[in-house]
Each structure stands twice: as C-alpha cells, then as structure tokens.
Amino acid sequence: MSLTSPGAPGPLPEGATTTPPGVVGPGELLALFRSRAHLTRADVMTLTGLSRSTVNQRIDLLQEAGLLVEREPHVVPGRGRGRPAGSFAFNVERGVLLVCDIGATAMRAAICDLSGTVLRDLPLLSDVTEGPEAVLARVDPLFSRLLESSGREAADVRGIALSVPGPVDHEQATVVSPPIMTGWDRFDVRGWFARTYDCPLLLEKDANAMAWGEYRTHYSDADTILMLKLGTGVGAGIIAGGRIHRGADGAAGDIGHTQASGDDRDSNPACRCGNSGCVEAHVGGWALMRDLTAAGRDATTVDEVVELIRTADPVAVSLARAAGRVLGVALAETVNILNPRVVVVGGQLAEAEEQVFAGLREMVYSRSLPLATRRLELHRSRLDERAGSVGLALLLADHIFDPARVDAGLGAG
Ligand SMILES: [Zn+2]
C-alpha cells in the first residue's frame, strides 16, 4: 500500500475522504500519534471518543500500512484473551525524507526520518547561477551518498523537499521570475527527480523554509514571525496565523528588493535585480564584498566578509554597522505592516551579530510603531545553517502525513 501517489502531490481526489465530519479518521489518528510519543488503545479511546472496535480497526489499518509500531506489548494479567495492552507509536523509520537547502553559493542536503528529524547532512559549495541542471546534478550524488550511508535506497524515499533563493510557485514546484537564478524560470524540478524517485516533491523559498524551521522548533507559541535571511542576498520568510505566508504569487517577503535609497538611479548602487538602490544593493553579502574590495580588502566570499568583521577590520566593522541600520529601517516598515511577535535573523551575516544587530535593533525600535514593538522579540537564528533543512523536513512530513492525504492513501475514504 502506498501513501503517496507518484509524481506531483497535487490536490486530493474529489471525495477522497468519507469519514464523517467530527469523527476521527485514520489520518487524524495518525496525526495524534505523530504529536505524542506513544499511546495505548485506551488512551486513543479517551482522546478521540471513538469506540473500542473503531479504535482497534483504525490502529490495525495503520499498523498494516507500517505507520504504527507496537511498543512493549504485554498481556495484562487476568484479562484472558483480550488484546495486549501495549502502546503504539508512529513508525518514523517506515522510510526516509530527502531535503536540500540550496543557497546562492552553497547547499546542504540532509536525510531525515519520517518525523522530520535530520539524521545526517552534507554541505557543498555550489553556485546557483550555474543553472538548474548543473546545480541539481550536484544534489543527486549528495542524496545517493546520504541514502547509502544510512543503509537506504531510492525506494525508501517518501518525499523530497528543496529550497532555493528565489520566488517559488509552490503548487507547480517551479522557480518563477527569479532575480538572480539564471535559467531556473519554470524549470521542471519535479521531472528531474521523478527519474530516480517515485514520491512527492516540494519546492520552497529559502527564507520560508528557514522561517518554518525556527517557528516549529522554537517559536510555535508565536502566531506571527518574520525570518530575515542575511546571506549573499537579503530575503524574508513570513509565518502568519501559524502558516507560511507566500503571497498571491510566491513573492511575499522580498524585503531585499525594497528601496533603501531615493529615486536617483545614477547615485544609487545597482542591484542584481536590474533595479538600483535596493536594500540588498546596500547590505547584501555581495554588496559588502563589492565595498570591501573597493576599499582594498580581500573579500570574495560572504564568509570572508564575516571574518573581516569578526577580526575588527575597521572598514568591515563600519560597513556592518551601516548595514544594520539600513536593514533596521527596512525591517521597521515590515514590522509596522506585519506586527510579528518574533523576528529571527539568520544567514551567514547573522554571525556578525554584535556589529549588525546594534543598528538593526536601534532602527526597528525607534522607527516602528510602539504598539508593534511592545512585545516584539528580536533573536538570532538558533538553528543556524540547519534552519533551512530542518524547516524543509518538517514541512515535508506535514505534507505527506496530512490526515486527508493519509486517508486517501489508505483507501479509508
Ligand atoms: Zn534589487
């Protein structure tokens, strides 16, 4: 029995679920097990209000599909021929998930269990502007190595998720009109991986994946959070109402290409998007490399920029502080519009926390409306370079084990 239809996840078939509204179907039951360590049949009856026979039938169904495993089975003394009162748990080893967080200049691939926990990961330097074929041809061997080192094979893969530094059509899993990702526009990413893997594939914007990772692991109590990614470029991911806010066309959160300077094109720094004066053209990792190189420093990667700031190079420190203020102004406007509870700052430049955060805090708290900053928290990413892969794995697990999708896969409709 397969839980996942081949290729695109797509919408659920019409009328896939006939479990009456308000009644806990097998998919909902699995969601219960996914949120708890383990439960006995009696626990399930108490939590769902389902009858013993229905609980038994649904647990049997999930167990036959390999999605539940019985733990510590033992026969309760004096219960005669009754079922053993063992407890059941979600079988997180019933397959694996593969994810890859593709950045502008590096990628990180990971193999995860079905709970979305990262088991192993592999980083690799890679230039996203080389185009989809060249970049995805690097992801393939990373996935193969991760599977091999985990004793798994392609048939064990239940889902794949990738993130990229550009706008994404989430439904189609394609990159759309990316400012910097040459050749990626509408490239068939699903088709690429369908040659090797028979499973759903999700594509997400990098800052969204990071935002989801931070939200689910550290800030799940916050209704609205903003993830600011400071890497080669500048981007943001928004979680609103406990969901990723992608916008009508997947362009939400593109704070890096909002204007940081006036309309005079001649005096503004040119941006990679073709415009000039964008936030990113002042403070993106690439812009800092440009300014440090012009000042005679050796900075050809964002890591080198961070190193110069950390070693207190006066030009680098001055640029970092100015960058913090430019970002702070842009962030203050976003805070006014979005009113997030938490702003999380990640990406390589967040490592220069001391220098960048001062200006950022100053501008956010002085320029935002008092009501919007009254309970606002500003934190550095806790997941750091793994925020993207953690977020992708959790998104993928939620997608695959969406209750209605599970019911459809089990034929429980
Ligand atoms: Zn721009």
Side-chain angles (χ1 to χ4, degrees):
M1 183 177 321
S2 170
L3 264 187
T4 56
S5 58
L12 291 167
E14 199 75 26
T17 305
T18 55
T19 304
V23 175
V24 178
E28 293 280 359
L29 198 57
L30 185 66
L32 200 59
F33 279 103
R34 287 181 65 221
S35 67
R36 316 271 174 133
H38 50 82
L39 296 167
T40 63
R41 294 175 198 272
D43 293 336
V44 175
M45 285 167 62
T46 309
L47 288 164
T48 61
L50 293 174
S51 69
R52 177 175 294 277
S53 62
T54 307
V55 167
N56 289 342
Q57 182 254 333
R58 294 209 170 137
I59 285 181
D60 287 350
L61 195 62
L62 291 168
Q63 221 183 343
E64 280 163 24
L67 294 170
L68 286 186
V69 278
E70 192 163 7
R71 285 180 167 184
E72 306 151 31
H74 62 277
V75 177
V76 179
R79 282 265 187 99
R81 291 167 55 223
R83 284 171 179 268
S87 63
F88 296 83
F90 176 44
N91 184 6
V92 298
E93 293 174 1
R94 177 68 176 181
V96 288
L97 309 176
L98 292 174
V99 301
C100 190
D101 177 20
I102 301 171
T105 58
M107 60 171 69
R108 180 176 289 271
I111 187 166
C112 314
D113 70 19
L114 296 186
S115 73
T117 301
V118 173
L119 303 172
R120 281 189 178 82
D121 63 355
L122 287 172
L124 183 74
L125 291 178
S126 171
D127 180 356
V128 78
T129 63
E130 286 181 14
E133 270 123 346
V135 172
L136 297 179
R138 293 198 183 93
V139 177
D140 274 337
L142 288 182
F143 280 173
S144 301
R145 278 171 59 196
L146 287 165
L147 285 170
E148 202 180 312
S149 63
S150 306
R152 296 286 195 162
E153 49 194 51
D156 296 323
V157 179
R158 305 301 291 264
I160 293 175
L162 308 175
S163 61
V164 290
V168 161
D169 179 333
H170 187 69
E171 290 298 317
Q172 298 300 318
T174 55
V175 179
V176 280
S177 310
I180 60 160
M181 296 173 66
T182 319
W184 282 83
D185 193 25
R186 302 281 171 194
F187 183 83
D188 181 14
V189 178
R190 280 199 181 119
W192 175 280
F193 286 99
R195 299 178 307 179
T196 315
Y197 302 98
D198 181 14
C199 63
L201 181 141
L202 299 183
L203 189 67
E204 194 57 76
K205 189 178 78 165
D206 57 355
N208 288 351
M210 293 168 75
W212 191 252
E214 293 286 344
Y215 167 68
R216 284 288 303 276
T217 56
H218 291 105
Y219 303 107
S220 55
D221 291 344
D223 182 72
T224 306
I225 82 166
L226 180 80
M227 176 90 215
L228 189 60
K229 183 187 181 185
L230 310 178
T232 307
V234 174
I238 300 164
I239 307 295
R243 302 170 69 94
I244 294 178
H245 177 76
R246 301 185 176 92
D249 299 293
D254 209 347
I255 195 172
H257 300 284
T258 54
Q259 282 287 304
S261 41
D263 289 338
D264 182 1
R265 284 189 76 92
D266 295 336
S267 64
N268 289 338
C271 187
R272 300 187 295 178
C273 70
N275 219 324
S276 68
C278 298
V279 166
E280 191 177 296
H282 288 276
V283 305
W286 65 268
L288 297 181
M289 278 188 252
R290 173 202 65 202
D291 293 347
L292 283 166
T293 305
R297 303 300 194 273
D298 193 13
T300 52
T301 65
V302 181
D303 284 336
E304 285 170 1
V305 171
V306 172
E307 192 54 29
L308 282 168
I309 299 170
R310 278 180 159 176
T311 53
D313 176 277
V315 178
V317 168
S318 155
L319 282 170
R321 290 196 173 138
R325 288 191 294 277
V326 170
L327 284 166
V329 172
L331 192 56
E333 290 172 6
T334 314
V335 164
N336 280 343
I337 293 167
L338 196 67
N339 188 197
R341 172 70 62 248
V342 183
V343 172
V344 184
V345 186
Q348 288 149 287
L349 279 174
E351 291 168 28
E353 184 177 354
E354 197 185 323
Q355 293 81 358
V356 174
F357 274 47
L360 196 63
R361 278 181 193 284
E362 178 195 333
M363 289 301 168
V364 168
Y365 286 98
S366 66
R367 290 201 170 217
S368 305
L369 293 167
L371 181 60
T373 53
R374 198 175 50 167
R375 290 190 290 161
L376 176 70
E377 296 172 25
L378 191 64
H379 297 293
R380 182 175 159 191
S381 165
R382 297 205 215 169
L383 296 171
D384 268 332
E385 73 271 19
R386 292 192 166 83
S389 33
V390 168
L392 286 174
L394 293 171
L395 271 173
L396 188 55
D398 285 348
H399 174 85
I400 294 169
F401 299 111
D402 173 81
R405 193 165 277 110
V406 169
D407 285 352
L410 289 171

